[in-house]
């Protein structure tokens, strides 16, 4: 238990302090091994590898779609401006000096748009919020899956429809 002490009442109302042996290697508590700490880290990594990929994929998809929409929308607006200037020139309005060809303008506009992806991605990632249930939430205080026989309950990742935040486990809010 990594140095935690369990108090056991005796017959004389005094408390005898007992440190349990390591649950992994069964060494006496006085050895202060790090087996339990290492086992916890491994369990955390295993739980993350089961639970986090779908969250990460959902997040990446949401951010990517929004960034693409804004970048492509800005590029579309830019090409409409080019088309408008072209129509004005065709209607007889004089072009101010020597302008690049339409192809060169479109390529330059697309290059600028693509270069804005990192900023757009960072912006949309900054909008994402991760929510946790309150520590007093009954689902946190009395986690049913831990009280059931092994394998009977599964942790569930819930996402509110249309929301950009995830709730960590069941919530009664």
């Amino acid at each position: 238990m990594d140095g935690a002490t369990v108090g056991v009442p005796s017959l004389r109302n005094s408390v005898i302090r007992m440190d349990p042996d390591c649950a992994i290697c069964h060494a006496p508590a006085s050895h202060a091994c790090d087996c339990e700490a290492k086992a916890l880290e491994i369990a955390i990594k295993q739980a993350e590898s089961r639970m986090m990929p779908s969250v990460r994929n959902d997040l990446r998809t949401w951010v990517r779609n929004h960034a693409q929409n804004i970048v492509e929308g800005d590029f579309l607006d830019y090409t409409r401006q080019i088309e408008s200037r072209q129509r004005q020139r065709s209607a007889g309005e004089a072009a101010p000096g020597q302008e690049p060809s339409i192809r060169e303008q479109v390529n330059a506009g697309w290059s600028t748009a693509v270069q804005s992806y990192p900023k757009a991605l960072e912006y949309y990632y900054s909008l994402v919020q991760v929510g946790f249930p309150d520590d007093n939430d009954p689902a946190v205080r009395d986690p049913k899956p831990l009280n059931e026989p092994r394998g009977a309950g599964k942790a569930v990742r819930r996402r509110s429809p249309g929301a950009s935040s995830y709730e960590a486990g069941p919530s009664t809010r």
Side-chain angles (χ1 to χ4, degrees), residues 20-173:
D21 293 344
C22 175
I24 307 299
C25 73
H26 307 291
S30 60
H31 285 131
C33 68
D34 62 350
C35 297
E36 292 170 354
K38 287 179 180 178
L40 175 60
E41 285 303 313
I42 290 169
I44 289 170
K45 288 178 182 176
Q46 290 171 341
E48 286 175 348
S49 70
R50 285 189 302 271
M51 299 301 293
M52 295 308 290
S54 64
V55 172
R56 190 174 23 256
N57 288 338
D58 289 349
L59 174 63
R60 182 180 291 132
T61 299
W62 185 86
V63 168
R64 179 188 183 129
N65 289 341
H66 283 80
Q68 267 185 308
N69 288 342
I70 196 71
V71 167
E72 291 172 0
D74 288 349
F75 177 69
L76 185 58
D77 291 344
Y78 177 75
T79 58
R80 287 181 182 145
Q81 291 173 4
I82 293 172
E83 291 170 354
S84 176
R85 285 194 305 263
Q86 185 65 26
R87 280 192 300 273
Q88 289 172 355
R89 269 188 289 231
S90 296
E93 297 178 23
Q98 183 68 15
E99 279 195 29
S101 71
I102 293 175
R103 180 111 179 121
E104 291 170 332
Q105 292 177 54
V106 168
N107 286 341
W110 181 241
S111 178
T112 300
V114 168
Q115 291 172 23
S116 72
Y117 270 123
K119 190 174 184 178
L121 291 166
E122 187 173 317
Y123 172 76
Y124 284 107
Y125 272 116
S126 76
L127 296 180
V128 175
Q129 298 174 2
V130 177
F132 299 97
D134 188 86
D135 285 345
N136 292 322
D137 188 312
V140 174
R141 286 186 319 198
D142 185 24
K144 297 295 185 215
L146 297 179
N147 296 329
E148 295 174 1
R150 285 197 179 268
K154 283 196 158 208
V156 176
R157 176 182 56 87
R158 296 189 319 140
R159 183 174 179 191
S160 303
S164 63
S165 65
Y166 287 90
E167 297 175 6
S171 178
T172 58
R173 284 192 254 165

